[in-house]
């Protein structure tokens, strides 16, 4: 069997991908049994191909699932941790722009009652 290509897998539905994954895992299990019982070398060299194929199918399934979650959480207030932007620890803990602009009641009163003086200079 030739190794599966990711671009071909992306065209398939999730159900088809899961079926293909099951088939690949069964075939891999059979090859491992043949390895223990002393199978031909040509068969044993296929183990690596099947392992890589399983990994490729699982990667495509996970990518599709993440893409689906990205669309679902697009306009929502909260997102799962793995879908949030990584940034740095300090940036993640930083106040948002709207939070930083908010004034306390005391500072709002002070700004209203003691506004900065504007002087007109005669030229």
């Amino acid at each position: 069997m030739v190794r599966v290509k990711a671009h071909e897998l992306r065209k398939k539905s999730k159900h088809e991908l899961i079926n293909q994954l099951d088939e690949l895992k069964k075939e891999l299990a059979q090859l491992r049994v043949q390895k223990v019982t002393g199978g031909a070398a040509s068969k044993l060299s296929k183990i690596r191909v099947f392992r890589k194929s399983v990994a490729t199918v699982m990667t495509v399934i996970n990518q599709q699932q993440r893409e689906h979650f990205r669309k679902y959480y697009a306009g929502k207030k909260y997102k799962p941790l793995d879908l949030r932007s990584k940034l740095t620890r300090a940036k993640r803990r930083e106040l948002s722009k709207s939070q930083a602009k908010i004034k306390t009641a005391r500072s709002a009163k002070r700004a209203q009652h003691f506004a900065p003086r504007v002087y007109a200079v005669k030229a």
Side-chain angles (χ1 to χ4, degrees):
M1 175 168 184
V2 182
R3 207 164 130 197
V4 293
K5 306 283 187 210
H7 68 90
E8 294 169 358
L9 293 174
R10 288 194 177 91
K11 296 172 187 169
K12 294 185 177 184
S13 68
K14 185 176 180 180
H15 184 70
E16 291 172 335
L17 288 172
I18 291 171
N19 288 342
Q20 185 167 2
L21 183 63
D22 288 339
E23 290 172 17
L24 288 169
K25 284 184 176 181
K26 285 177 188 173
E27 187 68 31
L28 183 60
Q30 289 175 353
L31 288 172
R32 286 183 173 150
V33 168
Q34 288 178 358
K35 178 182 175 183
V36 172
T37 57
S42 61
K43 289 272 187 182
L44 299 182
S45 63
K46 286 184 178 181
I47 290 178
R48 182 173 191 270
V49 174
F50 276 90
R51 281 180 47 237
K52 302 292 181 185
S53 296
V54 167
T56 306
V57 172
M58 289 180 75
T59 300
V60 170
I61 289 172
N62 287 331
Q63 284 174 345
Q64 286 180 349
Q65 192 173 15
R66 284 178 65 85
E67 190 60 37
H68 179 269
F69 282 131
R70 278 188 210 286
K71 287 178 185 173
Y72 177 75
Y73 287 105
K76 307 267 168 108
K77 183 176 180 182
Y78 298 111
K79 292 181 183 177
L81 291 175
D82 59 337
L83 294 183
R84 295 179 195 172
S85 54
K86 180 80 167 108
L87 303 175
T88 61
R89 190 169 191 265
K91 283 279 191 185
R92 288 194 303 265
R93 280 153 181 72
E94 200 172 61
L95 290 176
S96 68
K97 289 180 180 180
S98 60
Q99 289 172 333
K101 285 181 186 176
I102 295 172
K103 289 186 175 182
T104 62
R106 181 177 177 173
S107 64
K109 279 183 193 175
R110 185 176 283 173
Q112 184 182 7
H113 293 298
F114 303 103
R117 294 191 174 122
V118 180
Y119 297 101
V121 178
K122 204 172 193 180

